[in-house]
Amino acid sequence: MHPAEEVIQAMRVTVLGPLTVADGDGVVLPAGELPRRARQVLAVLSARHDRIQSKDALADAVWGNDLPGNHVATLEHYVSMIRRRLQPGSNAASWFIVTRGSGYLFDTGRAELDLAELRTRIRGLDDLPPEGSERLAAHGQILALARQLPFPEDPYADWAEPARTEVQFAAVNALLALAAAALPDDPARSLRLAQEAVGLSPFLESGYQAAMSAAVAMDRPDEALRIFDRCRRVLNEELGVPPSAELVRLQAAALAHRLPRPAEAQPAPTPPPTEPAVSARPATPQTSELDRAAVALGGFVGRQPLLDVLFEPAAPLMMHVVGPVGAGKSAFLTELARRAPGRVGIGHAGSLAGVFRLAWLRAALIDLGAGPDVLAAVDGARPDRALGPEDLELIGTVFDRPERVFLAVDDAADLDAAGVAELAWLSRHCPQLRVVLTYRYPSQVVDRPLAALDTAVVLRLGPLTHAELAPLGDERVAERSGGIPALVPVATRPPEIACAVAMQIARQRTRWMREPAWDVLRLCAVLGPLSAADLAPLTGRPVPEVLTAIDDLVHAHLLSDGPGGTVQHRSSLVRDAIREQVSQASSAHLREKLAAAS
């Protein structure tokens, strides 16, 4: 027998699309018959493959705040069930769900995983030349894997979101690369690929640009103009920003190609120059009319005292920036980068950690202009061990500058112990370095490695004040948004758009709260300001439980204190969005119930 024929094929787990597991002979195993929680355990370990997950962290991902009484024993039961059902008769030497210390990991050396293969191919792009058939072939392989998003059974789970975003970005980048390559010889294929990219990421202008270029190359200017109109509508209605100058140039080219031309054709008109957005210019003492217009289109407002803290001479080495979903943490870091150009590196621990352990650090170092030797040291990091002093000293040279440098980690709550140790080393050994970490609430990191990075400064991003919103020149913004930064850009948009965003913010901010919280929000939306004594009989909950829900909602800036011990909605947009979900019959019944209780 040929030696190659003796190789035992590994099991294969597929999570890009519906969960499937096949043995070495390709026989599909009964993964779909596993209990729902067991499938979630397998999915979480797949999303975080080759990284040890403590039992507490794994249980937190699977159950959230609804942990079973003995979550460790329950988790061990589900892992045992996965092994029995998917690898019957096997032993610890062949299990692909491996026990490591007090946790588990998905060992891709014992079972193939399509998500791991995709991540390997994405990393492999860095080693390929920027042009050529080899890179295009790699993009084709990435696209073949990324056609379906992972974990469709858990589309809204926090643990699934980073992997879904990662796969979506990979698919869009591959589509645009293949579209650009196809444009000279096959513009029809280029158009199809670009339109698919637009479908996956409708707010990405490069997709529309590729589609318009292909339509013009096909001598279909009307199609190019329709694509432009769609882009303009999406950007204006959803984000409140105009198309870029490049898209306007393509529109002008399509119009010139479409309209009848005289015998001596004149060149297509050049679009008028556009002013840069306010965030692209240095701040001025007074806000001009142009600045107000740019801010109204989504520019940065407020937070001046908090930003000033970062630049104080005695600013601490490490600062935490916290706030609920939509509080503007990412925008805060972007504004920091604008105010200190070339001196701020931003990494996203939540959305990029799945690519490889130090993806967040790599992204930040690229922002700061790190050389290939530094990036190579980061790429060589092991999944279960912090970098050694020699590599850290090399990375530290990036921060060795005459003026202050900022290393910002957005969505930092999930940093592992090794990443925390590396941050601590860099912070202690690089005098000009200041580390800025963002996450939702201090309670989010109590039992996580990040808690070891203690700091005396925690900057809390509360609602924007009336004074901070005054430069927008529209008094409705404060009342409608309640000062919630994510609602400010949509406060004056059509109700169907504004309410959709408001509902998403309300849902995200209440996900960690217990059941009465949403009932309290709904009742205050329908009935107006209410006290705990009013809410207790309406919710059927005891007053202490209602008070806990009220405290949570006030802390999340969804409710605010009103007169006479009542609470009311801070944002009229959130109030209206929730009220729209309640029928008139239910509203009338709730009013009658309140009157009877009074």
Side-chain angles (χ1 to χ4, degrees):
M1 180 178 291
H2 192 279
E5 297 176 354
E6 299 177 0
V7 175
I8 299 175
Q9 298 298 314
M11 296 180 63
R12 183 167 181 83
V13 179
T14 301
V15 296
L16 298 172
L19 172 67
T20 60
V21 181
D23 65 16
D25 296 323
V27 177
V28 177
L29 301 171
E33 298 175 9
L34 290 168
R36 165 85 168 134
R37 292 299 190 189
R39 296 197 302 275
Q40 285 184 316
V41 169
L42 178 55
V44 173
L45 290 170
S46 300
R48 303 170 179 178
H49 61 83
D50 293 328
R51 289 183 289 152
I52 298 172
Q53 300 297 304
S54 71
K55 292 177 182 177
D56 286 342
L58 188 53
D60 182 63
V62 173
W63 283 283
N65 290 324
D66 298 322
L67 286 174
N70 187 341
H71 64 272
V72 171
T74 306
L75 187 62
E76 291 171 347
H77 167 71
Y78 283 131
V79 170
S80 177
M81 182 182 296
I82 292 170
R83 290 167 171 167
R84 291 196 313 271
R85 298 276 186 91
L86 301 184
Q87 294 181 284
S90 60
N91 54 35
S94 58
W95 290 336
F96 67 90
I97 303 300
V98 181
T99 302
R100 285 285 186 271
S102 60
Y104 300 105
L105 88 158
F106 186 120
D107 187 346
T108 55
R110 299 185 179 187
E112 296 176 354
L113 177 66
D114 58 349
L115 181 58
E117 181 184 349
L118 174 64
R119 288 168 170 166
T120 298
R121 293 189 184 281
I122 293 171
R123 292 197 301 270
L125 290 173
D126 293 338
D127 299 326
L128 298 176
E131 306 291 342
S133 59
E134 192 176 1
R135 190 175 186 86
L136 287 178
H139 277 300
Q141 293 163 348
I142 289 171
L143 184 59
L145 287 166
R147 284 290 186 184
Q148 297 187 74
L149 293 177
F151 315 116
E153 193 174 6
D154 298 284
Y156 304 111
D158 287 342
W159 59 264
E161 184 177 349
R164 291 173 62 84
T165 302
E166 175 189 341
V167 173
Q168 183 177 3
F169 283 172
V172 170
N173 289 336
L175 285 165
L176 293 179
L178 294 170
L183 181 61
D185 302 320
D186 192 351
R189 179 171 182 264
S190 178
L191 179 59
R192 290 194 301 271
L193 293 167
Q195 288 176 326
E196 190 174 346
V198 169
L200 284 174
S201 186
F203 304 121
L204 189 65
E205 280 192 279
S206 53
Y208 296 99
Q209 182 177 328
M212 289 182 68
S213 298
V216 169
M218 294 171 65
D219 198 20
R220 291 166 57 179
D222 288 341
E223 178 71 14
L225 293 173
R226 282 194 292 271
I227 294 167
F228 178 84
D229 286 340
R230 177 187 174 189
C231 176
R232 179 169 55 185
R233 185 169 60 253
V234 168
L235 295 181
N236 180 57
E237 292 180 356
E238 298 290 344
L239 302 180
V241 297
S244 66
E246 177 60 23
L247 281 172
V248 173
R249 185 193 67 76
L250 285 170
Q251 181 205 25
L255 283 169
H257 196 65
R258 174 192 187 196
L259 297 174
R261 304 290 297 277
E264 294 185 5
Q266 300 297 318
T270 302
T274 57
E275 288 285 344
V278 66
S279 60
R281 298 196 304 274
T284 55
Q286 296 183 344
T287 305
S288 67
E289 288 298 322
L290 181 61
D291 288 339
R292 277 195 286 272
V295 169
L297 292 174
F300 188 86
V301 295
R303 311 300 192 201
Q304 183 62 48
L306 300 182
L307 284 162
D308 288 345
V309 170
L310 303 179
F311 293 95
E312 290 177 355
L317 300 179
M318 197 163 300
M319 288 158 279
H320 296 213
V321 179
V322 301
V325 173
K329 299 183 291 296
S330 299
F332 184 87
L333 297 183
T334 301
E335 180 65 7
L336 172 63
R338 185 189 74 81
R339 297 191 181 198
R343 295 189 288 122
V344 179
I346 302 175
H348 301 268
S351 61
L352 291 178
V355 180
F356 63 99
R357 186 176 69 79
L358 288 178
W360 58 270
L361 179 57
R362 192 180 204 279
L365 292 171
I366 289 173
D367 286 345
L368 292 167
D373 55 338
V374 174
L375 298 181
V378 175
D379 292 343
R382 293 185 54 173
D384 57 348
R385 185 182 302 173
L387 292 170
E390 194 172 298
D391 286 331
L392 289 170
E393 286 174 4
L394 177 61
I395 293 169
T397 61
V398 177
F399 312 120
D400 185 13
R401 304 188 186 188
E403 50 189 352
R404 185 169 297 177
V405 184
F406 296 91
L407 175 58
V409 188
D410 202 4
D411 199 8
D414 289 328
L415 282 175
D416 58 12
V420 168
E422 288 148 353
L423 272 179
W425 192 98
L426 292 170
S427 179
R428 289 194 306 269
H429 291 82
C430 303
Q432 292 289 26
L433 176 63
R434 296 296 181 271
V435 176
V436 184
L437 307 164
T438 78
Y439 48 93
R440 295 181 186 177
Y441 299 106
S443 58
Q444 186 185 9
V445 301
V446 168
D447 297 322
R448 302 189 185 188
L450 191 66
L453 294 179
D454 197 11
T455 178
V457 176
V458 177
L459 306 179
R460 299 177 185 271
L461 301 186
L464 296 167
T465 66
H466 281 72
E468 289 174 317
L469 294 172
L472 300 180
D474 192 329
E475 295 180 357
R476 298 173 299 166
V477 173
E479 180 269 334
R480 300 196 76 195
S481 70
I484 297 173
L487 297 183
V488 170
V490 298
T492 56
R493 299 298 167 193
E496 58 272 18
I497 296 171
C499 285
V501 176
M503 179 62 80
Q504 178 70 3
I505 291 295
R507 289 289 189 190
Q508 288 288 329
R509 290 194 174 191
T510 56
R511 286 181 67 177
W512 59 273
M513 301 180 194
R514 298 197 179 273
E515 189 174 346
W518 190 259
D519 288 339
V520 170
L521 273 187
R522 186 171 64 92
L523 290 164
C524 289
V526 174
L527 302 175
L530 296 170
S531 67
D534 296 325
L535 287 161
L538 291 171
T539 60
R541 306 276 180 164
V543 170
E545 196 171 334
V546 170
L547 286 171
T548 298
I550 288 174
D551 288 344
D552 288 342
L553 292 165
V554 171
H555 184 63
H557 309 133
L558 292 172
L559 292 183
S560 60
D561 292 314
T566 61
V567 289
Q568 59 194 6
H569 275 268
R570 173 181 286 275
S571 160
S572 66
L573 282 178
V574 175
R575 180 199 65 203
D576 295 345
I578 295 175
R579 183 189 292 165
E580 285 183 0
Q581 306 299 313
V582 182
S583 67
Q584 292 185 1
S586 294
S587 298
H589 172 71
L590 291 173
R591 293 190 183 93
E592 292 171 1
K593 192 173 179 180
L594 176 63
S598 302

